[in-house]
Amino acid sequence: MTYPLKILGAAFLFNLLIISASSCEDEPFAKERQIMVEQDIKGRGIADKKILNVMLKVKRHLFVDKELQGQAYADHPLPIGEGQTISQPYVVALMTEALKLKPADRVLEIGTGSGYQAALLAEIVKEVYTIEIRKGLADMAAKRLKGLDYGNVNAKYGDGYFGWEEAAPFDAIIITAAANHIPPPLIKQLKDGGRLIIPLGSTFYYQTLTLVTKQGKELSMEQLGGVSFVPMVGKAQKR
Ligand code: SAH
């Protein structure tokens, strides 16, 4: 009696394989995502294979509202509610690449927004800590990241200016909102040899994407080009 059951089991498995293979092909936006990576990410100079692979894997359309999903793979920012935006894919790739992440790293992100950047980081490193100051966005992103099974992302609601003391120090810190200075608590919470990236400058117009490396008491800075981010609010604006 076990024989037919085995055959049934095999047939079931076979069907499952066919279903998953075809759903892969039918995955909405797979083609768009591939074109985005080829043209806007690789095509504009991002060479790190790890970054290209995760940009190909993480579905940006799942991080925006249904009516905006058709634009999710165009190289521009998109609104995510409360006047905030999910950053342009190329800038996300550029910032992530600059951090030179390693698999065992622990990374802090300031400005969870949609959770897209946190998801990309979670694909690359061991642990991600992300802070969002707007409650509605914080709750939505935490729920989304949990739904997508990112068990290595710790998300909280609060002012990222102060970092995440209990989880510090971090190998890398990424600030995805514009500030006119680097919050001192974040420098403190960065490991020696760690890297921090921030859109630094006027919070009303353009900023310079700045990569900071901590070497003992010294900070070395490298400018990576002009960007335009939404402002970092909270303590960053009150100083
Ligand atoms: N990284 C996000 C996009 C960031 S948009 C993504 O992948 O979608 C910038 C975000 O920073 C906004 O959601 C804004 O509310 C948040 N923000 C601004 N000031 C902040 C602060 N002091 N602490 C934490 N988050 C902040």
Side-chain angles (χ1 to χ4, degrees):
M1 275 313 282
T2 55
Y3 188 55
L5 264 182
K6 261 190 192 156
I7 293 181
L8 247 181
F12 179 62
L13 243 183
F14 183 62
N15 279 338
L16 261 187
L17 282 176
I18 290 187
I19 290 167
S20 60
S22 61
S23 64
C24 207
E25 267 169 34
D26 296 346
E27 192 251 289
F29 307 116
K31 189 96 202 121
E32 285 87 342
R33 197 160 53 251
Q34 208 169 348
I35 294 171
M36 171 192 85
V37 171
E38 276 304 313
Q39 287 181 0
D40 302 319
I41 311 296
K42 203 172 164 184
R44 290 183 64 186
I46 305 293
D48 187 335
K49 283 250 158 48
K50 209 164 43 193
I51 307 295
L52 298 174
N53 284 341
V54 294
M55 300 287 295
L56 207 52
K57 182 172 177 192
V58 179
K59 297 169 180 165
R60 192 171 185 258
H61 68 273
L62 299 182
F63 293 82
V64 297
D65 279 351
K66 265 234 144 40
E67 56 275 20
L68 293 173
Q69 289 193 341
Q71 298 176 55
Y73 299 101
D75 198 27
H76 56 69
L78 285 171
I80 54 171
E82 303 199 29
Q84 307 305 302
T85 52
I86 178 173
S87 313
Q88 173 192 357
Y90 168 70
V91 174
V92 171
L94 183 68
M95 290 175 85
T96 314
E97 183 180 55
L99 291 173
K100 297 220 161 40
L101 300 168
K102 291 188 258 348
D105 282 355
R106 298 167 69 254
V107 180
L108 174 66
E109 179 195 25
I110 309 304
T112 316
S114 68
Y116 177 66
Q117 172 77 69
L120 288 168
L121 293 169
E123 294 281 352
I124 302 172
V125 301
K126 189 166 159 221
E127 263 185 301
V128 178
Y129 292 81
T130 181
I131 309 174
E132 169 56 54
I133 204 167
R134 289 182 167 86
K135 182 85 170 85
L137 293 178
D139 289 348
M140 198 154 67
K143 195 169 152 209
R144 181 179 281 143
L145 289 162
K146 201 165 171 234
L148 291 170
D149 261 345
Y150 284 109
N152 59 341
V153 178
N154 306 277
K156 80 169 179 185
Y157 158 61
D159 188 345
Y161 189 91
F162 303 100
W164 196 320
E165 185 89 58
E166 311 86 282
F170 299 98
D171 298 283
I173 299 179
I174 176 167
I175 298 137
T176 64
N180 60 13
H181 66 282
I182 306 168
L186 298 183
I187 296 171
K188 218 170 149 201
Q189 292 176 25
L190 189 63
K191 270 188 194 166
D192 195 11
R195 300 156 84 80
L196 174 151
I197 194 155
I198 181 168
L200 199 57
S202 157
T203 52
F204 298 106
Y205 301 103
Y206 295 93
Q207 305 88 37
T208 305
L209 202 54
T210 307
L211 179 68
V212 179
T213 307
K214 183 174 174 179
Q215 282 145 343
K217 285 198 160 52
E218 303 274 296
L219 294 180
S220 69
M221 310 246 191
E222 193 185 329
Q223 299 189 329
L224 303 181
V227 284
S228 178
F229 274 73
V230 293
M232 186 171 182
V233 296
K235 171 80 174 163
Q237 284 186 326
K238 293 184 194 118
R239 218 175 75 135

